[in-house]
Amino acid sequence: MFEKKFLVVFVAVLFLIFIGNEISRHFFAYTSDAYITSDYASMSPAVAGTLAELHVSNDTEVRKGDPLFTLDQTPYKLAAESAAANVAVSEQALQVAKDGVVEAKTNVTATKAILDDAEATQRRLSTLQERGVVTEQRLDDATRDLAEAQANYERALAARTGAQDQLKQKAAELRQATAEAAVADYNLEQTVVRAPFDGQVVPFNTKTGQYLGAGDVVLILVSRTGYRIVANVHEQHVQFIKPGQPVYYMVSTAPWVLFNGSVRGISKGIARSTLETQALPYVDPETDWIRLSQRFPVEINLSVHPDDRQAFMGADARVLIWNTDPPPPTGSSGRNGQ
């Protein structure tokens, strides 16, 4: 008899726990699967070279635009100077080509005037020869002069075309030289790597004198203003969570201190396996041999004035999200049944 009563009580307790859990989803969500994170950047050079100088050390706080490290600038300065010299040579060549076009156009004008005069003379002598006023030899000389003037004019036209083509070529060479100079100047600027935002340098081991390839990571810069909590919330709760809802949380770096925050945003999708695109976050649903429900990342703003106790990227956190405005029950339109 006692065993039967114990079983009934046990089942009733389990039932009450289940009902309480189902009801609680409408009012709050709790998870200990949360951590502190922040925006960060892997700082690496866009060009290759020897690391000449480190402007920061471990844990240095920097402002946006502050120099972090500098590569050996010598080869890039020489390349920039060579490119600038090529631009100057190309500009001079372009000016010579422009002068050539002006000269060619002037020659065309002169030979056209001579041709027009030769044509008029040949027509006049041809009319006079028909009247017997001039000799046939004089007409032949005028015809020869006309042919020579025509040939000179055609050569002048060809020379003008050649000069214009030369001008186009020199203009293209100048554009190429200018672009190469811009690339050289850009590469020179990239030898000094600057902070893209306000932040703190994470401890690193890179030393001056090392040769770095483009993209080799020198140090990590963590944003001082991007700290937030990522809480992996069970899928049964995410339908009740909205941006702006109040949050209470504790972090492992400040045990038993309760902080206030708010929901920043909710991920609308996760990757179901590690093989899927990492554009979506992946949350491992397994803990040892236990298969957990899917969890969705919820980003949480820290308190209005977060202190240094919360500025530890990767620290564990515990989060309670309070649903201040739970949605209506499933199937309800939220308009009094309409």
Side-chain angles (χ1 to χ4, degrees):
M1 186 70 177
F2 174 78
E3 293 179 353
K4 183 177 180 180
K5 290 183 178 180
F6 177 79
L7 180 62
V8 170
V9 171
F10 180 75
V11 172
V13 169
L14 289 180
F15 179 74
L16 290 175
I17 292 175
F18 173 77
I19 294 299
N21 181 64
E22 291 298 313
I23 294 175
S24 68
R25 293 176 184 172
H26 292 74
F27 300 99
F28 66 87
Y30 171 81
T31 180
S32 60
D33 185 8
Y35 56 91
I36 299 286
T37 188
S38 182
D39 299 325
Y40 69 93
S42 300
M43 304 308 302
S44 58
V47 295
T50 302
L51 182 58
E53 185 178 3
L54 284 166
H55 303 287
V56 296
S57 57
N58 293 344
D59 301 321
T60 300
E61 293 191 8
V62 297
R63 306 289 293 178
K64 181 179 179 180
D66 288 348
L68 301 176
F69 58 89
T70 300
L71 303 182
D72 181 12
Q73 296 183 323
T74 301
Y76 294 99
K77 286 182 178 180
L78 293 175
E81 291 174 1
S82 177
N86 289 337
V87 170
V89 171
S90 297
E91 289 175 343
Q92 185 176 5
L94 179 63
Q95 186 58 50
V96 171
K98 289 180 178 179
D99 295 340
V101 170
V102 173
E103 182 179 354
K105 289 181 177 179
T106 301
N107 194 30
V108 166
T109 301
T111 55
K112 184 62 168 62
I114 294 173
L115 175 61
D116 292 342
D117 183 65
E119 287 177 342
T121 300
Q122 198 272 345
R123 286 195 302 269
R124 185 175 68 256
L125 293 178
S126 177
T127 301
L128 294 176
Q129 198 275 336
E130 291 175 358
R131 298 178 184 175
V133 176
V134 297
T135 63
E136 186 174 348
Q137 181 62 45
R138 188 174 178 185
L139 178 60
D140 291 342
D141 292 342
T143 301
R144 183 195 63 225
D145 293 342
L146 174 61
E148 184 178 351
Q150 181 67 40
N152 290 337
Y153 177 65
E154 291 176 357
R155 282 194 292 270
L157 289 176
R160 183 184 66 180
T161 301
Q164 290 173 336
D165 291 342
Q166 185 75 1
L167 177 62
K168 293 178 182 178
Q169 179 182 347
K170 296 304 179 183
E173 291 176 356
L174 176 59
R175 289 195 297 271
Q176 180 179 357
T178 302
E180 291 174 352
V183 171
D185 290 339
Y186 173 80
N187 289 338
L188 178 58
E189 291 178 358
Q190 297 310 303
T191 58
V192 180
V193 177
R194 301 180 181 277
F197 47 73
D198 297 348
Q200 185 173 5
V201 176
V202 174
F204 62 96
N205 296 317
T206 311
K207 305 299 181 183
T208 57
Q210 291 183 226
Y211 182 83
L212 302 172
D216 288 349
V217 177
V218 176
L219 53 86
I220 303 295
L221 182 65
V222 178
S223 171
R224 292 287 295 175
T225 59
Y227 280 98
R228 59 194 180 276
I229 291 177
V230 174
N232 295 318
V233 178
H234 284 262
E235 55 190 339
Q236 297 92 340
H237 293 281
V238 294
Q239 61 177 312
F240 305 115
I241 300 174
K242 295 182 295 182
Q245 288 179 336
V247 175
Y248 303 98
Y249 66 90
M250 291 188 296
V251 294
S252 59
T253 52
W256 308 112
V257 178
L258 190 64
F259 298 98
N260 295 321
S262 62
V263 175
R264 175 185 292 190
I266 310 167
S267 174
K268 288 296 184 179
I270 59 172
R272 296 283 294 189
S273 76
T274 57
L275 300 179
E276 295 181 32
T277 172
Q278 291 305 300
L280 290 174
Y282 173 75
V283 181
D284 192 352
E286 297 183 6
T287 301
D288 295 331
W289 55 273
I290 301 175
R291 173 62 163 80
L292 301 177
S293 299
Q294 292 292 348
R295 288 160 293 164
F296 286 77
V298 176
E299 288 197 349
I300 296 169
N301 295 316
L302 302 185
S303 52
V304 178
H305 300 291
D307 53 38
D308 288 340
R309 292 177 295 177
Q310 302 172 58
F312 290 91
M313 188 172 173
D316 288 330
R318 293 177 175 83
V319 172
L320 177 69
I321 303 173
W322 186 257
N323 301 334
T324 56
D325 186 17
T330 303
S332 173
S333 65
R335 295 186 178 181
N336 299 324
Q338 296 181 357

